[in-house]
Amino acid sequence: MKQFIKLLSGGDLRSIGRSNDAVLKVRNEDDFDELFKCLSCKDRVVRMRAADAIEKITLKYPSYLLKHKEGLMDLCCTVMDKEFKWHVALLVPRLNLSENEKEIVWKTLSGWALDKKESKMVRASSIQAVYEIAESDNFYMKDFELLTNQIKKEHVSSLNVRVKKLVS
Protein backbone atom coordinates (compact mmCIF):
# COMPACT_ATOMS: atom_id res chain seq x y z
CA MET A 1 0.00 0.00 0.00
CA LYS A 2 2.86 2.36 0.81
CA GLN A 3 4.14 2.30 -2.77
CA PHE A 4 0.72 3.36 -4.02
CA ILE A 5 0.28 6.08 -1.40
CA LYS A 6 3.61 7.58 -2.38
CA LEU A 7 2.70 7.37 -6.06
CA LEU A 8 -0.79 8.86 -5.66
CA SER A 9 -0.15 11.63 -3.13
CA GLY A 10 0.63 15.28 -3.72
CA GLY A 11 -1.03 18.00 -5.70
CA ASP A 12 -4.70 18.73 -5.50
CA LEU A 13 -8.05 17.18 -6.33
CA ARG A 14 -8.25 18.72 -9.78
CA SER A 15 -5.61 16.33 -11.10
CA ILE A 16 -5.46 12.56 -11.44
CA GLY A 17 -1.74 12.90 -10.72
CA ARG A 18 -0.01 9.60 -11.35
CA SER A 19 -3.07 7.38 -11.15
CA ASN A 20 -2.30 6.03 -14.64
CA ASP A 21 1.11 4.95 -13.30
CA ALA A 22 -0.69 3.14 -10.49
CA VAL A 23 -2.75 1.30 -13.10
CA LEU A 24 0.46 0.11 -14.75
CA LYS A 25 1.87 -1.11 -11.42
CA VAL A 26 -1.09 -3.45 -10.90
CA ARG A 27 0.02 -6.66 -12.56
CA ASN A 28 -2.15 -9.11 -10.65
CA GLU A 29 -4.93 -9.35 -8.10
CA ASP A 30 -2.57 -9.06 -5.12
CA ASP A 31 -1.32 -5.71 -6.45
CA PHE A 32 -4.93 -4.65 -6.95
CA ASP A 33 -5.75 -5.58 -3.35
CA GLU A 34 -2.93 -3.32 -2.16
CA LEU A 35 -4.24 -0.47 -4.29
CA PHE A 36 -7.77 -1.04 -3.00
CA LYS A 37 -6.52 -0.45 0.56
CA CYS A 38 -5.76 3.13 -0.50
CA LEU A 39 -9.51 3.79 -0.60
CA SER A 40 -9.38 3.96 3.19
CA CYS A 41 -6.41 6.34 3.27
CA LYS A 42 -6.92 9.54 5.26
CA ASP A 43 -5.56 11.62 2.38
CA ARG A 44 -8.47 12.66 0.17
CA VAL A 45 -6.21 13.06 -2.88
CA VAL A 46 -4.90 9.50 -2.51
CA ARG A 47 -8.43 8.10 -2.12
CA MET A 48 -9.67 9.86 -5.23
CA ARG A 49 -6.70 8.83 -7.36
CA ALA A 50 -6.86 5.25 -6.11
CA ALA A 51 -10.56 5.16 -7.03
CA ASP A 52 -9.69 6.50 -10.49
CA ALA A 53 -7.06 3.79 -10.99
CA ILE A 54 -9.40 1.08 -9.68
CA GLU A 55 -12.12 2.22 -12.05
CA LYS A 56 -9.71 1.95 -15.00
CA ILE A 57 -8.36 -1.45 -13.96
CA THR A 58 -11.77 -3.00 -13.39
CA LEU A 59 -12.95 -2.07 -16.87
CA LYS A 60 -10.69 -4.90 -18.01
CA TYR A 61 -10.67 -6.98 -14.81
CA PRO A 62 -14.04 -6.59 -13.04
CA SER A 63 -13.40 -9.86 -11.19
CA TYR A 64 -10.75 -8.06 -9.11
CA LEU A 65 -13.64 -6.42 -7.27
CA LEU A 66 -15.17 -9.72 -6.12
CA LYS A 67 -13.47 -9.92 -2.73
CA HIS A 68 -13.99 -6.18 -2.18
CA LYS A 69 -17.76 -6.25 -2.64
CA GLU A 70 -18.57 -5.57 1.01
CA GLY A 71 -16.08 -2.71 1.21
CA LEU A 72 -17.38 -1.14 -1.96
CA MET A 73 -20.98 -1.49 -0.80
CA ASP A 74 -20.03 0.22 2.46
CA LEU A 75 -18.39 3.04 0.53
CA CYS A 76 -21.46 3.43 -1.64
CA CYS A 77 -23.55 4.05 1.47
CA THR A 78 -21.06 6.25 3.35
CA VAL A 79 -18.84 8.14 0.89
CA MET A 80 -19.04 11.92 1.19
CA ASP A 81 -16.34 13.33 -1.11
CA LYS A 82 -17.77 14.24 -4.52
CA GLU A 83 -14.65 13.28 -6.44
CA PHE A 84 -14.72 9.88 -4.75
CA LYS A 85 -18.49 9.42 -5.25
CA TRP A 86 -18.37 9.59 -9.02
CA HIS A 87 -15.82 6.76 -9.12
CA VAL A 88 -17.73 4.65 -6.60
CA ALA A 89 -20.90 5.15 -8.63
CA LEU A 90 -19.20 3.69 -11.69
CA LEU A 91 -17.64 0.79 -9.79
CA VAL A 92 -20.69 -0.58 -7.99
CA PRO A 93 -22.53 -1.84 -11.12
CA ARG A 94 -19.50 -4.02 -11.84
CA LEU A 95 -20.30 -6.10 -8.77
CA ASN A 96 -22.45 -9.20 -8.81
CA LEU A 97 -25.24 -7.81 -6.64
CA SER A 98 -28.00 -9.70 -4.89
CA GLU A 99 -31.53 -8.34 -5.32
CA ASN A 100 -31.36 -6.69 -1.90
CA GLU A 101 -27.95 -5.14 -2.64
CA LYS A 102 -29.17 -3.97 -6.03
CA GLU A 103 -32.10 -2.22 -4.37
CA ILE A 104 -29.79 -0.47 -1.89
CA VAL A 105 -27.44 0.61 -4.66
CA TRP A 106 -30.33 1.74 -6.84
CA LYS A 107 -31.76 3.92 -4.10
CA THR A 108 -28.37 5.43 -3.32
CA LEU A 109 -27.33 6.13 -6.89
CA SER A 110 -30.70 7.36 -8.08
CA GLY A 111 -30.71 9.68 -5.04
CA TRP A 112 -27.33 11.05 -6.10
CA ALA A 113 -28.54 11.41 -9.69
CA LEU A 114 -31.56 13.45 -8.62
CA ASP A 115 -29.86 15.53 -5.92
CA LYS A 116 -29.39 19.04 -7.31
CA LYS A 117 -26.80 19.71 -4.59
CA GLU A 118 -24.51 16.98 -5.93
CA SER A 119 -21.81 17.88 -8.44
CA LYS A 120 -22.65 17.37 -12.12
CA MET A 121 -19.96 14.66 -12.32
CA VAL A 122 -21.50 12.70 -9.44
CA ARG A 123 -24.93 13.05 -11.00
CA ALA A 124 -23.74 12.03 -14.48
CA SER A 125 -21.81 9.04 -13.14
CA SER A 126 -24.83 7.99 -11.11
CA ILE A 127 -27.06 8.20 -14.19
CA GLN A 128 -24.57 6.01 -16.03
CA ALA A 129 -24.50 3.53 -13.15
CA VAL A 130 -28.27 3.20 -12.76
CA TYR A 131 -28.53 2.75 -16.52
CA GLU A 132 -26.06 -0.14 -16.33
CA ILE A 133 -28.09 -1.70 -13.53
CA ALA A 134 -31.34 -1.27 -15.48
CA GLU A 135 -29.75 -2.66 -18.61
CA SER A 136 -28.69 -5.81 -16.77
CA ASP A 137 -31.96 -6.12 -14.82
CA ASN A 138 -35.03 -5.09 -16.80
CA PHE A 139 -36.95 -4.73 -13.53
CA TYR A 140 -35.32 -1.30 -13.11
CA MET A 141 -35.84 -0.01 -16.67
CA LYS A 142 -39.16 1.70 -15.91
CA ASP A 143 -37.58 3.36 -12.86
CA PHE A 144 -34.69 4.48 -15.04
CA GLU A 145 -37.11 6.06 -17.51
CA LEU A 146 -38.88 7.89 -14.67
CA LEU A 147 -35.57 9.10 -13.29
CA THR A 148 -34.35 10.37 -16.65
CA ASN A 149 -37.66 12.14 -17.28
CA GLN A 150 -37.21 14.00 -14.00
CA ILE A 151 -33.65 14.92 -14.87
CA LYS A 152 -34.61 16.15 -18.35
CA LYS A 153 -37.06 18.60 -16.76
CA GLU A 154 -34.15 20.32 -15.01
CA HIS A 155 -32.67 21.39 -18.36
CA VAL A 156 -29.08 20.76 -17.28
CA SER A 157 -27.26 20.29 -20.56
CA SER A 158 -24.45 18.02 -19.28
CA LEU A 159 -26.97 15.65 -17.69
CA ASN A 160 -29.28 15.71 -20.70
CA VAL A 161 -26.35 14.84 -22.95
CA ARG A 162 -25.56 11.84 -20.75
CA VAL A 163 -29.18 10.69 -20.78
CA LYS A 164 -29.44 11.13 -24.54
CA LYS A 165 -26.24 9.15 -25.05
CA LEU A 166 -27.56 6.27 -22.94
CA VAL A 167 -31.06 6.01 -24.38
CA SER A 168 -30.22 6.45 -28.05
Side-chain angles (χ1 to χ4, degrees), residues 29-93:
E29 199 165 346
D30 290 337
D31 293 341
F32 180 84
D33 296 345
E34 287 301 305
L35 175 62
F36 196 89
K37 290 176 185 176
C38 292
L39 295 182
S40 60
C41 182
K42 291 180 183 181
D43 185 334
R44 188 173 172 180
V45 171
V46 171
R47 285 194 311 266
M48 183 273 294
R49 291 177 181 163
D52 180 67
I54 288 167
E55 182 189 332
K56 291 171 182 172
I57 293 164
T58 58
L59 279 171
K60 189 172 182 180
Y61 301 105
S63 64
Y64 283 6
L65 288 174
L66 289 174
K67 66 171 112 175
H68 301 287
K69 179 179 178 179
E70 187 178 329
L72 199 50
M73 288 293 296
D74 288 344
L75 285 172
C76 184
C77 295
T78 61
V79 66
M80 300 300 287
D81 303 331
K82 64 183 176 187
E83 64 282 341
F84 196 13
K85 275 184 178 181
W86 77 64
H87 292 294
V88 170
L90 295 173
L91 287 169
V92 174

Side-chain angles (χ1 to χ4, degrees), residues 95-113:
L95 297 171
N96 184 14
L97 300 170
S98 70
E99 291 306 314
N100 186 46
E101 291 166 334
K102 209 176 289 183
E103 186 175 330
I104 292 166
V105 167
W106 183 270
K107 286 179 182 177
T108 300
L109 297 180
S110 61
W112 292 354

